[in-house]
Amino acid sequence: MPSPDLPKNDEREIQDIVHELSQDIEKDRARRKKIQRFLVLSSVSILSFGILTLVSYLLYLNFSVTELETQVKAKDKSLKEMEENLNSLMVQEQLREENYLTSGQDLDSSLASQVEENLEFLKETTTGYKGRNVLRGNEKYPEIALTFDLATGEELSTVLRLIERYNIRITIFLSNERPSDTSGSFFLRSNLDYIKKIAKSGKAEFGNHTWSHFNYLRSITETSQKKRLVLDYLSKQVLELPRMAEEMKRVEDIFHSLTKSNIQKYYRLPYGALNQLILDAHAKIGYKNHIMWSNNSKGSLDLPDYISKPFVYRLVAKGKKEMVKNPHYKTSRETIEFLEAWEASDPHGMNGAIILMHLGGPRKFDKLITILPEFIETMKAKGYHFVTVSEVLNDSLDK
């Protein structure tokens, strides 16, 4: 028969097992709660730190923006003050110019006295000097002097190609084209480079066209202070002999610095504006020969490449005008025909002829320099040689 205690032992054992399981479950719950509490606290800490960092960054940005706005306002105030000062200087300059324009008879009377005194001085100081104005070379020989005034210089590259392609010699008269120490033809790097290349070619000589490109005759005789102030081609002061010498010397120095050689003592004054007194004054400072350009019954060999307007207005009645062909404008074809007629009408043909063209100018289409290949080939076929001014003036045939 089974023992009566056995069920009680089994029951106690089962109870112990249940108790142990209950304790394990409680422990597991406690552990999960700790983990959950840790995760919640960690998340809250991380979130709080992120919020704090973001708030700090926003406060920093706000401070930086405020500081930048303060700096911008300060600089804006400084710029306004500078602008006011600049405008003040501009106004002062304008008033100065207007005072010159409206000052009336007194300034012009004073200027007239300066002009008269300068003319008297030039007459006295040039006694014994005789300058020469050369319009044509030796008419015995079939030689043509193709000469160029520098102007803006934009056609220097074309000239270099021409002298190399056709094996001709030319003369270039150099000028800065404006009375400036900071701008002009001599302040363009490309111009200086091409002048050096052309000089190095040995196919060109260089003469002097003055630094400032003033109208010398007007700059010596003009008695209107208003005109001197407004017109760029007039010197602001009366043009005296020391200034004439300086105009030449500055071009000489530029050329020597570029080429390490001296410029030829030939010169050409802008616009051909001169008289015997001006010629004598330049003879005194070492320039005896002024090189003009040739003329005959057909006209001047100062080719109008600087005339850019094919049409101009002409007044036909009071308040009315009509558009007509510009009588001074020549197309490239008209220029070729003119040169042919010039040679045919002259008893010496083009022997010793001096032609003037410009290296750059206002004409933007149908530029006259484009005629040179045809003109050079035509003249060469007729037996002409293209030589420098020095060569066209001498007593020998230069080849």
Side-chain angles (χ1 to χ4, degrees), residues 112-286:
S113 298
Q114 293 177 43
V115 166
E116 188 61 33
E117 289 174 7
N118 185 53
L119 289 172
E120 288 301 320
F121 175 79
L122 288 175
K123 291 174 184 176
E124 292 175 7
T125 197
T126 58
T127 301
Y129 292 90
K130 194 71 172 177
R132 186 167 70 123
N133 187 32
V134 179
L135 285 83
R136 192 162 184 166
N138 197 325
E139 296 172 339
K140 296 179 183 177
Y141 306 113
E143 295 179 337
I144 299 171
L146 187 57
T147 73
F148 301 88
D149 290 348
L150 181 57
T152 62
E154 61 192 270
E155 260 91 48
L156 278 166
S157 58
T158 302
V159 165
L160 179 59
R161 290 195 298 270
L162 287 171
I163 61 178
E164 290 175 340
R165 177 180 176 183
Y166 293 104
N167 192 30
I168 61 173
R169 294 188 294 280
I170 62 170
T171 301
I172 299 176
F173 290 87
L174 299 177
S175 172
N176 188 54
E177 286 288 305
R178 63 181 64 180
S180 172
D181 297 327
T182 58
S183 62
S185 299
F186 284 145
F187 292 88
L188 295 176
R189 185 72 256 173
S190 61
N191 283 356
L192 301 182
D193 290 342
Y194 276 115
I195 290 170
K196 287 173 66 175
K197 289 177 182 178
I198 293 172
K200 190 176 181 180
S201 74
K203 298 180 184 297
E205 71 176 1
F206 294 82
N208 206 318
H209 194 40
T210 76
W211 179 272
S212 300
H213 208 266
F214 290 139
N215 180 315
Y216 269 45
L217 188 58
R218 292 281 305 282
S219 292
I220 288 175
T221 60
E222 182 56 62
T223 58
S224 167
Q225 187 68 53
K226 178 178 179 180
K227 290 180 180 179
R228 284 186 182 270
L229 182 67
V230 173
L231 301 175
D232 291 337
Y233 52 82
L234 296 183
S235 61
K236 304 311 175 189
Q237 290 79 38
V238 177
L239 192 60
E240 299 177 337
L241 189 60
R243 179 59 186 272
M244 295 183 202
E246 180 186 343
E247 287 282 315
M248 297 295 174
K249 184 66 164 56
R250 295 191 70 178
V251 176
E252 293 172 4
D253 290 346
I254 284 287
F255 183 75
H256 188 270
S257 69
L258 286 173
T259 66
K260 303 300 181 276
S261 59
N262 295 323
I263 204 167
Q264 290 289 335
K265 288 291 184 175
Y266 296 122
Y267 72 111
R268 174 179 287 147
L269 293 182
Y271 318 106
L274 51 79
N275 59 16
Q276 190 58 51
L277 182 61
I278 295 173
L279 292 172
D280 296 344
H282 282 82
K284 181 175 176 62
I285 59 178

